[in-house]
Amino acid sequence: MSSSAIRQFSSQKVAGTFSNQSLLEKLPVPELAVTCERYLRSAQAVVSPEQLENTRKIVQGFLNDGVGQSLHSKLVERAKQKDNWLEEWWDSHGYYGARIPLVITTNPGIIMDDVPVVKSLPKPRAQTWRTAQAIHSSLHFMLDIYNNVIPPDNGMCMNQYARLFGTTRVPVYQGIDELINYLGQPKYLPTVHYLTQFKPCEPKHVIVIANGHFFTVDALKADGTVESVENLEAHIESIRRTAASIPSSTSKNVGNFTAIDRDTWAKAREALITASPINAESLEIIQKALFVFVLDDSSPTTSSELAAASMMGKAGMRWFDKHMIIVYANGRCGLNFEHGATDGLTLVRMCDYVNDHSSAKAQPRESLPEKLPTADMLKWVLTPNIEKSLISAAAAYELHAQSVLLRAVDFNSFGREAIKSMKCSPDAFFQMAIQLAYYRLYGISVPTYESAATRKFIHGRTETLRSCTVDSVAWVKSMDKPIIQSERKREIQRSLLRKAIATHSANIRDATDGKGCDRTLLGMQMIASELGIEKPEIFKDTTYSYSRNWLLSTSSMPTNEVVAFGAVTDGGFGVYYCFPKKGDSIKYVVTSYTNQGAPADLLAQTISDSLLEMSALLQTTSAL
């Protein structure tokens, strides 16, 4: 980014955004024996004793036959040579090498907090002003990042902030997708993300999608400062009117391509470029945009409606290869983000910034000017074959979206403070509610994934926290339904619950310290593959594959925002939860798929029932 584009929005003197980067440690490589023991302990919770015994023999062989030690030694050596030994493998194979569609399965949706001033505005001003304010605040956040004045997250790596703006994912046929940044590496950031291609060209525009059409707006002035909200709203209103006057076939909108599998999109993109230089130019303008904003014509109001619209929406009204803020007709907002580039906390902090600056002193002007700027709409040349491909893409996405079941819950009976008063970790408490709910519905405990942030390390992202443990299984099995009204029985249940919560809390600490088992095992598996070594038996074992078949995929962040993401396996569930800072409540979202017989609303209700039951259990005073 040029020096002219650097402007300090905040006058408050703070520690530099990237000031702690040089102080961060590298992601550690846990000892092999410790890793194997953690793996066996987690497997014990989800496989039969017979299968576990067989796995134990395989793991013992891995430890003693020299293969395990050799792979582990090579992993330790790799860790010495790289800023983060996991980064390349995780990003390439976990995200950019995946060929599945981004929408639902990869890109999460975020419900942004409501802004009071918007409620007083009539339609369409609620949407146009909110969009203008979101653009204005977002780009100030961008400039603050490049000015190095956003306070760093507490002891955390900040490199993901360099991939928020001017960044795009580009599909590559049967390969690893590209990640391109057009702003350039922030000069204050000393470490470089290995996959990001920096192609700085000083972009000043954002993309606005309306009625399936793509428009470009120069949101930065020639001197690099942000356009005023008033000028931006005039542009947005012009776009809204122009888009409404042009017929649009949702199934033929180019955005549909970004909602399908990556290889099909890669071939379609080549067809677009080959068909006309006009298409190539439009694609390049979208890719180089600082951010994408969507004028959505729907008006979701409930948490479930907002979560679904932010996670999915009409594919012809989205561009899933870039981060997007979606502004609905009623002025509510959502955000959909390309997960390969960033994790949720980075986007949530941006949402908080946008909301704070939209709520502080912002007041819309009474009316818009009579003469509006001309809307600058991107053009496309669509051949009959491309139109046919677009219709197929739209149909494929629609089928995918229709299979999703989603239920968002505002649980108001109690929240973080009440759980703390029970001397429990809120996160562990909710995870046990998930375990009890699933067991109540299916009579079995299953592999459960919870993301644990490892951003205390250079370029750290996440480690797997295996939430289903031997202790959680022992507890859920003790919870008869209905509860036997025996104080002795309830005392046992309380003791088992507290033990399960303590185990989970200890596992959280280990995972965030980079001491889980999954990433280390993945690292050794990757080294074996790269060296052409026959896959060790530990990775062929059915326990290894089954224990990573996340029938429950869960996540949480310390924020007010609600996030929605799809289940990661057929027949499974996705569960997001948070404990809002205001009030004492819990918000959570459950997703599943219709064709797998896994009703999200049923699990959501059973989680609520489990929360109440756990509270009653822990708050009962023993008479013994």
Side-chain angles (χ1 to χ4, degrees):
M1 175 177 274
S2 72
S3 59
S4 64
I6 302 298
R7 175 178 180 269
Q8 188 165 313
F9 185 51
S10 172
S11 61
Q12 183 180 5
K13 195 169 185 179
V14 295
T17 306
F18 305 110
S19 60
N20 294 330
Q21 290 298 115
S22 60
L23 304 177
L24 299 174
E25 296 180 356
K26 291 185 176 183
L27 183 69
V29 178
E31 292 181 8
L32 179 59
V34 174
T35 297
C36 290
E37 178 55 36
R38 286 195 178 101
Y39 167 58
L40 286 172
R41 183 71 172 166
S42 68
Q44 184 180 349
V46 295
V47 302
S48 68
E50 295 77 17
Q51 186 173 340
L52 179 68
E53 184 56 33
N54 182 61
T55 297
R56 196 180 296 279
K57 292 176 182 176
I58 291 172
V59 170
Q60 196 61 43
F62 185 68
L63 280 167
N64 296 335
D65 64 7
V67 174
Q69 289 291 350
S70 175
L71 294 175
H72 186 266
S73 295
K74 287 179 172 61
L75 188 60
V76 171
E77 188 60 32
R78 176 186 174 93
K80 293 176 183 177
Q81 297 170 358
K82 294 182 176 290
D83 285 337
N84 186 303
W85 62 262
L86 175 65
E87 180 179 46
E88 183 176 346
W89 291 329
W90 186 248
D91 288 356
S92 296
H93 298 274
Y95 287 110
Y96 291 96
R99 301 293 85 197
I100 59 176
L102 300 185
V103 60
I104 301 170
T105 46
T106 299
N107 283 22
I110 300 176
I111 303 175
M112 294 175 65
D113 283 348
D114 206 356
V115 175
V117 68
V118 173
K119 296 178 181 179
S120 64
L121 295 173
K123 291 182 179 181
R125 288 291 308 280
Q127 184 179 47
T128 58
W129 181 85
R130 185 73 168 104
T131 305
Q133 186 65 36
I135 295 172
H136 184 79
S137 301
S138 296
L139 297 195
H140 274 303
F141 187 68
M142 176 192 75
L143 295 181
D144 277 1
I145 291 171
Y146 276 78
N147 269 300
N148 202 37
V149 298
I150 292 289
D153 296 332
N154 187 25
M156 301 294 176
C157 179
M158 298 291 285
N159 88 99
Q160 292 182 32
Y161 284 79
R163 303 195 292 275
L164 280 179
F165 297 94
T167 302
T168 191
R169 180 170 178 162
V170 178
V172 174
Y173 182 67
Q174 293 185 347
I176 295 173
D177 285 358
E178 294 180 332
L179 180 64
I180 305 174
N181 177 283
Y182 294 95
L183 281 174
Q185 170 89 352
K187 68 178 182 179
Y188 299 100
L189 177 59
T191 56
V192 179
H193 180 242
Y194 93 98
L195 185 65
T196 305
Q197 301 175 42
F198 289 102
K199 299 181 179 181
C201 59
E202 301 184 24
K204 291 180 170 56
H205 67 283
V206 298
I207 290 295
V208 178
I209 305 175
N211 196 28
H213 303 294
F214 290 72
F215 299 83
T216 179
V217 176
D218 282 340
L220 293 181
K221 300 175 187 177
D223 65 357
T225 59
V226 184
E227 277 285 358
S228 68
V229 175
E230 290 75 17
N231 286 346
L232 289 170
E233 188 182 7
H235 280 282
I236 300 303
E237 176 60 16
S238 177
I239 288 171
R240 187 192 68 80
R241 293 182 189 180
T242 302
S245 69
I246 304 173
S248 174
S249 172
T250 303
S251 63
K252 294 182 181 179
N253 294 337
V254 178
N256 283 300
F257 282 142
T258 69
I260 58 176
D261 72 274
R262 305 304 291 173
D263 285 340
T264 304
W265 168 210
K267 290 191 288 185
R269 183 174 178 275
E270 286 303 312
L272 279 167
I273 293 171
T274 302
S276 172
I278 293 175
N279 295 337
E281 182 182 10
S282 293
L283 286 169
E284 187 174 23
I285 290 171
I286 293 172
Q287 288 178 191
K288 290 180 177 179
L290 296 171
F291 216 83
V292 174
F293 296 84
V294 180
L295 302 181
D296 196 294
D297 55 11
S298 67
S299 294
T301 55
T302 68
S303 295
S304 292
E305 291 170 347
L306 285 160
S310 301
M311 183 176 78
M312 298 178 289
K314 297 177 183 176
M317 290 284 291
R318 302 288 190 268
W319 194 264
F320 290 109
D321 285 5
K322 291 177 73 75
H323 306 317
M324 297 175 284
I325 286 183
I326 305 148
V327 186
Y328 305 103
N330 58 3
R332 290 302 306 269
C333 277
L335 188 146
N336 186 282
F337 66 96
E338 197 283 288
H339 204 345
T342 57
D343 292 323
L345 273 173
T346 310
L347 272 300
V348 162
R349 184 163 181 194
M350 174 184 157
C351 289
D352 288 342
Y353 186 104
V354 169
N355 282 335
D356 289 346
H357 288 83
S358 298
S359 302
K361 300 177 181 178
Q363 288 298 325
R365 60 182 170 190
E366 291 185 9
S367 61
L368 292 169
E370 291 185 11
K371 184 173 177 57
L372 297 173
T374 302
D376 188 359
M377 188 172 78
L378 302 186
K379 297 178 176 60
W380 305 97
V381 176
L382 305 180
T383 64
N385 282 339
I386 291 175
E387 287 192 351
K388 184 178 178 181
S389 296
L390 276 171
I391 292 172
S392 296
Y397 167 69
E398 190 64 25
L399 189 64
H400 189 191
Q402 287 179 354
S403 73
V404 175
L405 295 172
L406 184 150
R407 173 74 181 279
V409 177
D410 295 328
F411 181 85
N412 296 311
S413 297
F414 58 84
R416 176 188 300 274
E417 295 308 315
I419 296 172
K420 285 183 176 179
S421 72
M422 301 176 209
K423 295 181 170 47
C424 295
S425 152
D427 182 83
F429 188 94
F430 195 89
Q431 282 288 336
M432 293 309 107
I434 296 173
Q435 293 299 317
L436 179 58
Y438 193 94
Y439 187 82
R440 284 271 165 78
L441 290 176
Y442 299 101
I444 189 174
S445 295
V446 295
T448 305
Y449 172 94
E450 181 183 356
S451 59
T454 54
R455 282 181 57 211
K456 66 170 65 175
F457 303 106
I458 299 172
H459 291 198
R461 296 201 62 163
T462 61
E463 170 62 274
T464 298
L465 173 58
R466 296 187 173 207
S467 299
C468 181
T469 65
V470 171
D471 293 323
S472 72
V473 172
W475 171 65
V476 298
K477 286 183 175 180
S478 78
M479 297 294 289
D480 301 311
K481 187 65 176 178
I483 293 177
I484 298 174
Q485 295 302 314
S486 159
E487 183 53 37
R488 178 58 183 161
K489 176 74 171 179
R490 291 172 70 82
E491 187 65 31
I492 293 172
Q493 291 168 339
R494 275 193 292 274
S495 176
L496 289 173
L497 173 55
R498 291 201 178 279
K499 184 177 181 182
I501 286 174
T503 296
H504 187 86
S505 297
N507 289 344
I508 290 175
R509 290 189 292 273
D510 285 343
T512 56
D513 285 342
K515 298 176 182 177
C517 66
D518 284 270
R519 303 295 186 262
T520 308
L521 290 171
L522 172 64
M524 290 187 286
Q525 187 178 3
M526 292 302 301
I527 286 178
S529 176
E530 291 180 358
L531 293 177
I533 298 172
E534 182 182 353
K535 182 185 289 188
E537 196 65 29
I538 187 174
F539 302 123
K540 297 178 184 178
D541 183 22
T542 55
T543 294
Y544 185 67
S545 57
Y546 175 72
S547 69
R548 295 162 61 247
N549 181 36
W550 309 118
L551 290 168
L552 285 167
S553 177
T554 73
S555 184
S556 179
M557 291 185 289
T559 176
N560 294 329
E561 283 82 3
V562 174
V563 178
F565 54 84
V568 299
T569 185
D570 292 341
F573 295 91
V575 183
Y576 176 84
Y577 56 97
C578 66
F579 303 88
K581 299 170 187 176
K582 296 179 180 178
D584 206 19
S585 64
I586 307 172
K587 294 182 178 181
Y588 61 94
V589 179
V590 180
T591 60
S592 64
Y593 299 108
T594 57
N595 59 346
Q596 298 298 326
D601 56 347
L602 184 56
L603 181 64
Q605 181 57 55
T606 311
I607 289 173
S608 290
D609 295 341
S610 297
L611 288 168
L612 292 170
E613 189 173 333
M614 291 165 63
S615 175
L617 176 65
L618 290 179
Q619 294 189 68
T620 301
T621 303
S622 173
L624 297 180

